[in-house]
Amino acid sequence: MSDSMILGLAKDAGLRGYVCVTTETVQEGANRHGTAPTATYTLGKALTAAALMSGLLKVSQRVALRWEGNGPLGKTLVEADSNGRIRGFTQNPDVDLRTPDGGYDIVSAIGQAGLLTVVKDLGLPELSEGTVHLVESDIDSDLTYYMDQSEQIPTIIQTFVTLDEAGQVTLAGGLLMQPLPPYEPDIIETMRDRLQELPPLEELLKRDMNPQTLLQEVMAGTSPEFISKYTVRFECTCSWERSRQLLAALGKEELESILETEGEAEVECHYCHKTYTFGSEDLEAIIAEL
């Protein structure tokens, strides 16, 4: 099942819903950063949350989600754009904390004290930014709380990541549901009750359901119309030119010191670990421009 997002719109019921599959995206993130199982689980849920949030964007818009708690994971930062490109990292990828039953202790890994910050690039002169305290440190509850407090839209957000004994991702995905304007909350409560009656999302997908069939099952009784489907994938937007701009921002004196002592400079992207090397001629050219 390839990674994708599906949108269902039930106008008469005043409801929209998104379902995404992110298995390959999450595994790619884990591969890039060499994450231990609990870090994979946490980063995977965050990447999936970013994928879901991408469904709410308009063309050429972007969103970034940052969890920063007092747990050993440190900062977990993910980004998504309207084209389904997802990227992200966690500050300490070696963290692997387990619950007594052998599950992944995401709450202790993130830490119960901290902040979730959501930054949106909506194509306006200034970025839109909102911050809330972590309420559960489990990705889903924190982002749901943000939507309720900062955007004042009742929202259902569920993400999941399943791993095998070797820590490889076997399935990942999620669900987001919101009322349509004027944002009557009753339909969301109805959907919450509906989800309580159904098996977990991962179980439904394991039954050979695709995202559209799953969303149709969840939104049963609302006659949803499926109006959008697109691919999601782990794809970084870093580039040699952007890395060059970062070096230029260091200033002439700093670059001259690097040129004298090192002879070259390397810029590594936090999101994908790709390294861009700038030789002496490259540094001299930047210095000349400055």
Side-chain angles (χ1 to χ4, degrees), residues 10-185:
K11 294 181 180 179
D12 291 342
L15 179 70
R16 63 178 172 183
Y18 301 82
V19 166
C20 66
V21 173
T22 56
T23 309
E24 296 173 4
T25 301
V26 173
Q27 185 62 64
E28 179 65 20
N31 291 344
R32 298 255 185 159
H33 300 290
T35 47
T38 301
T40 298
Y41 182 78
T42 306
L43 178 61
K45 285 175 68 68
L47 288 168
T48 302
L52 291 169
M53 292 291 285
S54 77
L56 304 176
L57 300 174
K58 295 180 180 179
V59 176
S60 299
Q61 294 182 347
R62 298 183 299 162
V63 63
L65 312 173
R66 183 175 71 242
W67 280 264
E68 196 160 11
N70 63 349
L73 270 179
K75 177 172 61 179
T76 297
L77 178 59
V78 292
E79 291 185 2
D81 65 16
S82 58
N83 293 318
R85 294 183 295 185
I86 319 294
R87 66 177 188 168
F89 69 92
T90 193
Q91 190 172 359
N92 297 305
D94 295 332
V95 173
D96 190 20
L97 303 180
R98 301 301 179 96
T99 59
D101 62 358
Y104 307 106
D105 192 353
I106 183 175
V107 176
S108 297
I110 293 176
Q112 292 180 295
L115 300 172
L116 165 62
T117 301
V118 178
V119 181
K120 294 181 181 180
D121 181 356
L122 304 177
L124 301 174
E126 295 184 358
L127 299 175
S128 169
E129 181 173 329
T131 300
V132 295
H133 290 283
L134 300 178
V135 290
E136 296 290 345
S137 300
D138 66 354
I139 304 297
D140 298 0
S141 300
D142 303 320
L143 190 52
T144 299
Y145 180 71
Y146 165 82
M147 297 300 292
D148 182 63
Q149 295 295 310
S150 293
E151 303 199 6
Q152 299 183 337
I153 304 174
T155 306
I156 295 172
I157 297 171
Q158 292 186 7
T159 65
F160 66 86
V161 176
T162 60
L163 309 177
D164 62 19
E165 293 183 357
Q168 298 296 298
V169 183
T170 58
L171 190 63
L175 164 77
L176 185 150
M177 305 187 82
Q178 286 185 335
L180 297 171
Y183 303 120
E184 295 295 336

Side-chain angles (χ1 to χ4, degrees), residues 202-222:
E202 54 266 44
E203 293 300 325
L204 292 174
L205 283 173
K206 287 177 181 177
R207 297 177 185 178
D208 294 327
M209 280 190 175
N210 56 42
Q212 180 171 324
T213 307
L214 187 151
L215 190 56
Q216 194 165 17
E217 178 72 16
V218 174
M219 297 177 69
T222 66

